[in-house]
Amino acid sequence: MLTFLAFAMIVSFIVLLSMKKLSVFNALTLVPLVFGVIAVFATGATMSDLFSWIKDGIFYTVDYEGQSTSMGVISPGLTILFSILYFDLMLGVGLFDPVAAFFIKMAKGDPLKVLMFSVMAASVVSFNGDTTTTIIICTSAFINLYRQMGLKLIYLAIVIVAPIGIWNQLPWGGPTIASATAQGIEVNELFATLLPSLLTAQVAVIAITYLLGKKERKRLGWSAEDAKAVSPEQLDQMIAAVRDKDVELKRPKLFAFNLVLTLVAVVLLIQGEIHGSIIFMLASAIALVVNYPKVEESSQRLEDLAADVLPTAVITLGAGVFSGVLTGSGMATALANFIAGIIPTQLSSHMAPIYAVIATPAVCFLPQDAFYFGIASVMKDVMAQFGISATQAAVASMVGQSFRLVSPVIPALYMLCGECKLNFTDFMKEYGKYYGIALLVLYLVVYGVVGALPF
């Protein structure tokens, strides 16, 4: 009975999200509430037990026999709240503007340089973890240059999204937080495991972009003399797309301070000795008082950023209801035992890479929260039965991020394809051909070499 309820709950959650019948927050809270009530009657539990399951999923559970505590979603929820706040502040003050402008200036009409600096600019801007913002800024900065030079706009599209797919996996990125939350591990711990592969992937993306740039040089018959065709006025126009966005919020005189503050915060986060929420809460307070010293300005920035900060944090906390009911009711264990029972024993030693490959299309085509909170949270228990730790299961679930940035459920991609006059299917094919498959294989290899993904 519990196995059936678990399947029904997960499928209902995914279908309601995919059909847009419920918002992510409502689906994460109301669907498990309904199935939790059914589980109460099916197992002979009480309504008090139901609310205890929810409380445990949000806050923490204590194993008195094992003398251990398992944190709920409150830990990553607070981290995402303050990390999004901090990086939105940094985006507003213009921390990433000089680097992006530098890349634009250095290109000077060379197709190879244009593609290389496009991918570097996208890499830098995507550090804030926001897909839509990165696409808007990079498309605005480069699309006119691509058109003027006759470069393939589909290359601009895939060059922009390739690094986003990598750096969305930073500790403040949605996939990493969702995966860590679903597996019941700390974001810092997961990120430290992911980092070697992310750095390798960035190198691979730059190398692939270099080859695309060489192809464009050959196709266009470019020579060194052609570099003179781009006027200073054209360069200024492209830089203005970055420089003049929300100019009233910029603080160019405080660039050095904001850069140092950000580097200190990131280093402390990677070290893992201080909880991420504390780091970014304090860093946000410092950033506000330095960049916007007037009380009115500081308060206004908090109000303006609330629309970006609160939804993701609220969704993360809502996930505690889903995971709490799924785990506390026994549905997760029942489903895990069922799945483990149908897996051939001869495949048990290879379950981590098999799971990673199978999960890739799910990561691409399902809403992110539907996959991590609806499927990955259950697969954690299945993997455990094959000796795979929660961290290793989380890593396996992250391999599919190689194709996440061609997902049809990401609205910003339709905006990108519209600006570049692309058919979405063609965009998916080109990305997969040049970046997607290469990154999928690279992730599997690197994670296997460093021991993060047991083969």
Side-chain angles (χ1 to χ4, degrees), residues 112-437:
L112 173 60
K113 289 183 179 179
V114 170
L115 263 74
M116 291 297 288
F117 287 122
S118 297
V119 77
M120 294 304 294
S123 300
V124 171
V125 179
S126 65
F127 270 39
N128 80 319
D130 185 80
T131 298
T132 302
T133 299
T134 303
I135 289 175
I136 290 173
I137 291 177
C138 293
T139 304
S140 300
F142 287 102
I143 194 165
N144 287 335
L145 179 57
Y146 273 67
R147 286 172 176 160
Q148 291 164 4
M149 294 178 59
L151 294 168
K152 291 183 178 180
L153 291 180
I154 198 162
Y155 285 172
L156 173 62
I158 62 177
V159 158
I160 288 175
V161 301
I164 299 176
I166 298 171
W167 300 118
N168 265 3
Q169 299 177 67
L170 287 166
W172 47 87
T176 306
I177 291 173
S179 181
T181 302
Q183 304 301 316
I185 60 177
E186 287 294 331
V187 175
N188 297 12
E189 177 186 352
L190 176 57
F191 176 65
T193 307
L194 297 175
L195 186 56
S197 191
L198 300 186
L199 295 175
T200 308
Q202 178 66 19
V203 173
V205 163
I206 293 172
I208 294 169
T209 303
Y210 178 84
L211 295 177
L212 292 179
K214 296 282 282 187
K215 285 183 64 175
E216 283 296 83
R217 268 185 175 180
K218 183 178 181 180
R219 184 179 69 85
L220 296 171
W222 182 88
S223 67
E225 292 297 318
D226 296 329
K228 300 176 183 178
V230 180
S231 68
E233 290 77 15
Q234 289 172 316
L235 287 176
D236 287 340
Q237 183 180 7
M238 289 180 284
I239 294 171
V242 176
R243 184 188 60 227
D244 296 339
K245 185 178 185 295
D246 299 324
V247 66
E248 72 279 1
L249 301 177
K250 307 285 181 165
R251 297 295 185 267
K253 294 181 180 179
L254 294 171
F255 174 80
F257 170 82
N258 289 319
L259 177 62
V260 171
L261 179 62
T262 301
L263 291 175
V264 169
V266 171
V267 169
L268 290 174
L269 183 70
I270 294 174
Q271 286 180 340
E273 296 179 4
I274 306 173
H275 196 276
S277 63
I278 297 174
I279 294 171
F280 287 115
M281 177 172 59
L282 297 178
S284 297
I286 294 171
L288 278 169
V289 76
V290 173
N291 289 280
Y292 307 103
K294 294 182 180 179
V295 174
E296 295 80 6
E297 287 181 324
S298 182
S299 299
Q300 187 62 49
R301 287 305 292 139
L302 284 175
E303 291 181 15
D304 292 342
L305 295 176
D308 290 334
V309 174
L310 289 179
T312 309
V314 168
I315 287 170
T316 304
L317 294 175
V321 180
F322 193 97
S323 60
V325 171
L326 193 67
T327 302
S329 65
M331 283 191 275
T333 301
L335 182 57
N337 289 335
F338 172 79
I339 295 174
I342 64 175
I343 295 174
T345 55
Q346 59 267 31
L347 296 179
S348 60
S349 60
H350 308 293
M351 273 309 299
I354 290 173
Y355 171 40
V357 173
I358 293 176
T360 296
V363 173
C364 177
F365 290 102
L366 292 176
Q368 182 167 277
D369 298 297
F371 171 74
Y372 284 109
F373 297 123
I375 296 176
S377 60
V378 172
M379 287 303 297
K380 172 187 68 174
D381 296 326
V382 176
M383 295 295 104
Q385 297 189 35
F386 294 103
I388 298 169
S389 69
T391 300
Q392 291 170 334
V395 170
S397 73
M398 294 295 286
V399 169
Q401 291 298 318
S402 53
F403 277 93
R404 177 63 188 171
L405 261 293
V406 290
S407 171
V409 299
I410 299 179
L413 296 180
Y414 294 103
M415 176 184 65
L416 175 63
C417 288
E419 288 293 316
C420 295
K421 309 299 182 186
L422 301 175
N423 178 278
F424 192 84
T425 304
D426 292 337
F427 163 68
M428 293 179 71
K429 289 179 180 177
E430 288 294 297
Y431 174 85
K433 179 171 68 175
Y434 289 111
Y435 293 105
I437 295 175

